[in-house]
Amino acid sequence: MGLDHFPEELIEVILILVDDEQTLLLAQRVCRRWARCIQASRALQQALFYRPLQPALPNTTIPQRNSLLAAKFPYWFPNDDQASRNSLFGAGDMREFLDKSAAWLHPSASWRRMLVQQPPAMSLGWISRQETPIGHISLQQWELSLEEYGGLRMNMLYDLVVKSSDDAAAFFYWRMHWSYPGLESYSISCDPDIQMDRVDYYLEAMMSANAQTDIVLDTWNTAHLGSHIRPVFGKDTWTWDLVLGLRSPMGDVNLDVVYGLRQIKELRSWEVGLASWYMHEMHGDGCGYSPMDDPDL
C-alpha cells in the first residue's frame, strides 16, 4: 500500500508517536495528504505548539518548552542553571544572532505562530529599569495576561524584545527568566548594577514577578554608563542597522494593543547623586577618583 492510500486516521496515529518536533514539521513535505492530516489534527497541532494543550487539572502539568524554538532562539530560552538564567544579552549578542538567523526572520515564518511552551504560558511579567544621564533611575514592574491570545507565542515574545531595543537608549540589555518555584533572591544577578543602594527594589520586583507570572522579561537601558560598569558594557552599543535587521518580521502582532493590556504592579524611581557615584567608585571597584575627573558627569 502506497502512502497515498494510507487512511488519514492511521497517518495521525503514526505521527502522534513521533517525539521530535523537527521531524514532525518536515513530515508535512511527504505529500499533500500528510500535510492536510497534520494541519487538521488537533493532537498534532498541539504537538507542534500551534494549538494550546489544556491539562485536565490546572497547575498539574510541568510545562514543556518548545525545543525547536529553544534551539533556534537560545537567548529567549536559557538553561535552568543559575549562570544561564543570569546571562545578559546586548548588541553584540544580537548581532551574532542576526548573522546566524537571517533566514528565519521573514513575516510568514511559521515559528512566529508557535507557543513557547505547553501548556501555554498565560502570563508575562516585565521588569524595566531605565537610567538617565543625570542619574535618575526608574524601575517598573508590569504584568500581562495572555488569556485572549491563548497563551504566549514566539512572535510576541520576540517582538517585545526588538521593540524594547528600538525604543531604548544607546545601551540596552535584556534577559528572560522562566519562573519556577523555590527561587531564592540570592541567586538573581543584578548586573548591570545601576541600582547603587536600591538593589533590594530590583530583587523584590523579580521575586514578585517570578511568583505571579509564568515568564519574566527583564530589560535595562541607559544613555550613560557609570565608570564602574563602563569597562564591561561600554562597547556594546546598539546601531540602527541592527535594530532594523531584527525587527524585519514584525507586523503580525499589534504591540500597541499588547502594551495597552499591561498592568502596572510597581513603579519606583530615585536619584543617584554625584556623591553616591563617588562612593561607589571608592568602595565598589577599588578604583575611586573624584567625580569631577569624569567627563561624563
Side-chain angles (χ1 to χ4, degrees):
M1 180 184 294
L3 293 176
D4 290 342
H5 298 90
F6 267 47
E8 292 193 3
E9 294 81 2
L10 180 57
I11 296 174
E12 181 181 19
V13 170
I14 294 173
L15 292 177
I16 286 176
L17 299 177
V18 176
D19 60 0
D20 180 73
E21 190 178 346
Q22 180 70 26
T23 300
L24 190 54
L25 277 174
L26 295 177
Q28 297 178 95
R29 302 180 182 180
V30 171
C31 64
R32 293 180 180 177
R33 290 189 71 239
W34 280 43
R36 286 198 304 268
C37 176
I38 293 172
Q39 293 164 12
S41 167
R42 174 185 292 270
L44 293 175
Q45 289 294 293
Q46 290 173 338
L48 288 171
F49 291 80
Y50 288 126
R51 298 188 66 165
L53 174 65
Q54 301 299 338
L57 296 174
N59 303 320
T60 58
T61 303
I62 298 176
Q64 176 188 356
R65 297 185 189 182
N66 188 320
S67 59
L68 181 61
L69 291 179
K72 298 297 183 180
F73 299 88
Y75 300 152
W76 282 260
F77 294 80
N79 295 328
D80 288 332
D81 60 279
Q82 182 174 332
S84 297
R85 291 196 304 269
N86 286 323
S87 295
L88 282 168
F89 303 111
D93 303 295
M94 298 307 288
R95 168 55 65 185
E96 181 180 0
F97 167 79
L98 181 59
D99 291 342
K100 292 180 178 179
S101 308
W104 281 67
L105 303 183
H106 56 88
S108 61
S110 61
W111 61 262
R112 294 182 58 79
R113 296 184 287 110
M114 287 182 170
L115 295 160
V116 300
Q117 70 175 37
Q118 290 278 32
M122 303 306 294
S123 58
L124 177 69
W126 189 348
I127 307 296
S128 172
R129 295 173 288 163
Q130 302 180 41
E131 181 188 1
T132 68
I134 60 174
H136 178 83
I137 299 176
S138 66
L139 183 150
Q140 296 174 312
Q141 178 188 347
W142 302 88
E143 185 174 321
L144 174 63
S145 173
L146 301 166
E147 294 289 341
E148 67 179 76
Y149 290 93
L152 180 60
R153 298 183 186 273
M154 193 61 195
N155 57 356
M156 183 185 296
L157 192 59
Y158 177 88
D159 288 359
L160 284 174
V161 172
V162 175
K163 180 171 175 55
S164 296
S165 70
D166 191 359
D167 295 341
F171 301 99
F172 171 79
Y173 280 84
W174 66 280
R175 59 185 156 204
M176 301 300 307
H177 289 265
W178 291 68
S179 302
Y180 65 98
L183 179 69
E184 299 289 347
S185 60
Y186 65 79
S187 68
I188 302 174
S189 170
C190 298
D191 289 337
D193 180 14
I194 61 171
Q195 285 80 28
M196 299 302 182
D197 57 343
R198 304 297 198 279
V199 169
D200 286 346
Y201 289 178
Y202 171 67
L203 295 179
E204 289 172 7
M206 283 299 303
M207 292 295 292
S208 173
N210 176 80
Q212 298 174 16
T213 59
D214 297 314
I215 299 173
V216 183
L217 171 61
D218 180 16
T219 62
W220 166 82
N221 79 87
T222 181
H224 165 271
L225 289 178
S227 57
H228 65 294
I229 58 176
R230 192 180 304 122
V232 177
F233 301 102
K235 297 181 180 180
D236 211 6
T237 55
W238 286 74
T239 60
W240 279 113
D241 70 301
L242 174 57
V243 173
L244 290 174
L246 290 170
R247 75 180 183 185
S248 59
M250 296 175 65
D252 58 345
V253 57
N254 189 330
L255 290 185
D256 290 335
V257 174
V258 174
Y259 275 45
L261 294 175
R262 296 181 303 175
Q263 294 183 342
I264 188 70
K265 293 297 181 180
E266 184 175 15
L267 173 61
R268 289 183 172 180
S269 61
W270 62 95
E271 300 287 341
V272 177
L274 294 183
S276 296
W277 284 108
Y278 179 51
M279 291 301 293
H280 192 86
E281 298 292 346
M282 290 292 293
H283 301 290
D285 58 15
C287 56
Y289 54 89
S290 169
M292 298 303 294
D293 296 332
D294 189 341
D296 292 327
L297 293 178

